[in-house]
Amino acid sequence: MEVKTKGLKLADILTTIVIAIVFGIIYKLWGPLYSAVGVFGFHLDQLIYGMWFIASSLAYLLIRKPGVALLAEVAASSGELIMGSQWGLEVLIYGVVQGLFAELVFAAFRYRRFDAFVVSLGAVGATIGSLIMDFYKGYIEALAPWNMALFLLARFIGAILISGVFAVSLAKALEKTGVTQMWRPASKDDYDALNR
Amino acid sequence: MKWEVRCRETWLHETNPSLKLIVLVVLFFAVLFIHNPNVLINVSLALFVLFCFGTGYPANVLFWLFLPFFLVFVSTASSMMMFGEGTTTWVRWGLIHITAESFWRGVHIGFRALALGLLGLIFSLTTRPVPLFYSLMQQLKLKPKYAYSFLAAVRLLPIMLEEFQTIRYALTVRGVPNKGGLSKVKRYAIPLLSQSIRRAQRIAVAMEAKQFSGSGGRTFYYEIGFGKYDIWLVALFAALMFAAYYVGVHYPYISISDVR
């Protein structure tokens, strides 16, 4: 029997990081898109901001262990940094804070629920993390009130839609490919299949 | 990390990666707490000079790398200029309300975005992943199972890019229209992710068999230490920050000393 080690196993860490690096590429490509949408003004760009929280949601949905949400977000943002993100070092610090807040939400549910509701709450947590950084960096509290309300609303809605609802649909599609079998305990159906 | 672009190795490449990371993170937080636009403009200019002459890349590469930062500068600054609060009105046109306060605040956060971007670019242009993770293990005691997982994942990047290209060709051959926002992301993400997860699981088995997950003491193929350039690094950034602060306070460009 394998000795139960504390924390994540190497296989969990490696898959989390690999998933995160895939999203690191997407995060990097998302940057120019975000800037392009931002030209239209009225905080339309905030609607797609939520993509930057998806690595933690998806890693949590697939691997379902404590710590993977934080690790995934840190790995994705460092991947983005290494590829030369247009925000530079900022993405790494944002990644740490966002991952931490998403992780706290999942911890609050004791890593037992893996549905759209919890993941959306995780996305909301990550959004709050990003807003805390924005308050320091961008003086967003100095925007006119109607403008700030629009800003906040757009970011929260975008986060829930992309890192909540969309992440769940991605995870479901990935479950169908069978790659997540490694982390799931054998079910009753599996034993029945053996007896058939 | 540009594999295809050749660059001259500068003294910044020789510095200890962990130390460089720490120095730049400290600068990051320092920049966040600068509220005087004069100081911030000086810091940005100093970092820009370092970016141009310290990273060892040819001018045309630097130009293309810098272009997105300019976009970020404009987009960050304009939103605050047009919609920020203030008392001294310059222009009012419908919802757009430009005041002296919001204008300078916009300039300030534009320069801040620029400074933070340059910090990251200087780091990623002068740091190779292998020495970085070896240094993180040796100086900052990052657990080897995390560091080697990162390195293995970095090695998978070119394979992923190749697979991305393959999926694109496959979709083109099958006549799938190249449009759609999230559905397009999904079309690419599912095969990319599932293949990557399978590959990661196989690599993990091999790495566990070779005791990369072990918690015992390790020896390292690359020993990363400190050298004279590390003293230069700390001294240079300390001098830059001090000079930027001194010049900004005593010889200001504009009369505003706090944009809040």
Side-chain angles (χ1 to χ4, degrees):
Chain A
M1 255 330 262
E2 191 195 351
V3 185
K4 264 239 182 247
T5 47
K6 210 171 140 266
L8 296 167
K9 284 190 299 182
L10 189 131
D12 303 328
I13 295 169
L14 184 62
T15 17
T16 308
I17 293 175
V18 167
I19 293 169
I21 296 274
V22 173
F23 281 104
I25 301 174
I26 294 176
Y27 284 11
K28 169 77 185 81
L29 299 175
W30 213 247
L33 180 68
Y34 176 77
S35 302
V37 175
V39 174
F40 296 108
F42 297 108
H43 301 308
L44 273 179
D45 49 353
Q46 298 305 319
L47 278 175
I48 63 167
Y49 196 101
M51 181 57 92
W52 280 301
F53 313 139
I54 199 174
S56 51
S57 301
L58 197 71
Y60 174 70
L61 282 172
L62 294 178
I63 299 165
R64 305 190 172 181
K65 285 189 180 167
V68 290
L70 174 61
L71 178 63
E73 196 62 23
V74 173
S77 55
S78 48
E80 195 186 350
L81 172 67
I82 288 174
M83 279 178 273
S85 159
Q86 55 191 327
W87 286 277
L89 203 57
E90 189 185 328
V91 293
L92 184 61
I93 318 270
Y94 268 65
V96 172
V97 176
Q98 288 162 4
L100 205 61
F101 274 75
E103 187 72 44
L104 284 177
V105 171
F106 300 142
F109 285 92
R110 299 173 146 237
Y111 305 101
R112 282 197 190 138
R113 282 183 58 180
F114 308 97
D115 46 34
F117 175 71
V118 174
V119 176
S120 299
L121 272 188
V124 168
T127 310
I128 293 170
S130 72
L131 286 172
I132 290 175
M133 295 301 294
D134 280 351
F135 267 99
Y136 276 106
K137 199 200 97 197
Y139 302 123
I140 53 173
E141 76 274 17
L143 288 168
W146 67 272
N147 203 273
M148 186 162 121
L150 197 66
F151 176 89
L152 292 178
L153 195 70
R155 189 177 288 186
F156 276 113
I157 289 177
I160 291 172
L161 286 182
I162 298 178
S163 290
V165 178
F166 180 63
V168 170
S169 85
L170 262 187
K172 282 208 177 113
L174 277 172
E175 295 273 351
K176 275 186 207 146
T177 65
V179 290
T180 54
Q181 285 309 308
M182 192 184 102
W183 300 295
R184 307 281 176 271
S187 65
K188 181 90 175 40
D189 290 345
D190 297 332
Y191 289 113
D192 289 345
L194 288 176
N195 291 331
R196 211 168 286 153
Chain B
M1 185 186 10
K2 303 278 170 200
W3 283 289
E4 68 275 22
V5 178
R6 283 187 183 271
C7 83
R8 187 168 48 83
E9 296 252 320
T10 62
W11 65 275
L12 274 171
H13 288 86
E14 311 272 318
T15 51
N16 185 293
S18 297
L19 181 76
K20 189 161 50 182
L21 185 63
I22 291 171
V23 167
L24 293 183
V25 169
V26 168
L27 280 178
F28 175 89
F29 284 105
V31 168
L32 278 191
F33 287 101
I34 296 176
H35 301 296
N36 183 338
N38 298 301
V39 176
L40 191 58
I41 290 171
N42 288 334
V43 172
S44 308
L45 285 178
L47 288 175
F48 185 72
V49 170
L50 189 65
F51 165 71
C52 289
F53 299 105
T55 50
Y57 282 78
N60 59 337
V61 177
L62 289 179
F63 173 77
W64 286 111
L65 286 173
F66 189 69
L67 205 58
F69 287 82
F70 190 69
L71 271 180
V72 170
F73 176 81
V74 173
S75 70
T76 320
S78 63
S79 164
M80 177 56 79
M81 281 180 193
M82 292 190 286
F83 306 115
E85 280 183 325
T87 47
T88 324
T89 302
W90 284 358
V91 181
R92 185 187 276 280
W93 187 65
L95 286 171
I96 297 174
H97 181 204
I98 302 180
T99 62
E101 289 86 348
S102 70
F103 178 81
W104 289 116
R105 206 183 297 125
V107 169
H108 187 72
I109 58 175
F111 269 105
R112 178 177 288 170
L114 197 64
L116 299 182
L118 285 171
L119 282 176
L121 209 50
I122 289 171
F123 180 77
S124 49
L125 286 179
T126 61
T127 311
R128 305 260 175 273
V130 174
L132 171 64
F133 285 105
Y134 271 81
S135 166
L136 287 177
M137 279 190 282
Q138 290 168 31
Q139 270 89 46
L140 297 184
K141 305 295 171 216
L142 179 70
K143 277 197 183 150
K145 60 180 175 180
Y146 288 96
Y148 285 113
S149 294
F150 262 100
L151 284 174
V154 168
R155 288 270 173 269
L156 289 179
L157 257 177
I159 305 177
M160 286 179 198
L161 293 178
E162 212 169 276
E163 271 179 354
F164 177 80
Q165 200 54 262
T166 310
I167 296 168
R168 221 172 64 166
Y169 292 147
L171 289 174
T172 313
V173 163
R174 286 164 178 74
V176 179
N178 187 28
K179 56 184 179 208
L182 285 181
S183 62
K184 189 174 159 191
V185 172
K186 206 167 172 179
R187 218 155 37 230
Y188 283 96
I190 296 296
L192 265 182
L193 281 171
S194 56
Q195 282 295 72
S196 307
I197 292 172
R198 284 195 192 104
R199 195 170 290 123
Q201 288 171 353
R202 286 199 297 272
I203 294 172
V205 171
M207 284 172 72
E208 270 171 3
K210 295 197 172 181
Q211 291 300 312
F212 277 99
S213 56
S215 47
R218 293 193 76 86
T219 53
F220 297 102
Y221 185 72
Y222 299 107
E223 293 283 351
I224 312 272
F226 294 93
K228 64 173 180 188
Y229 290 120
D230 296 306
I231 302 168
W232 283 27
L233 180 81
V234 176
L236 177 77
F237 277 109
L240 278 184
M241 290 306 275
F242 181 76
Y245 182 78
Y246 187 82
V247 173
V249 169
H250 292 277
Y251 306 97
Y253 310 109
I254 48 177
S255 57
I256 297 169
S257 60
D258 193 327
V259 293
R260 281 177 298 179

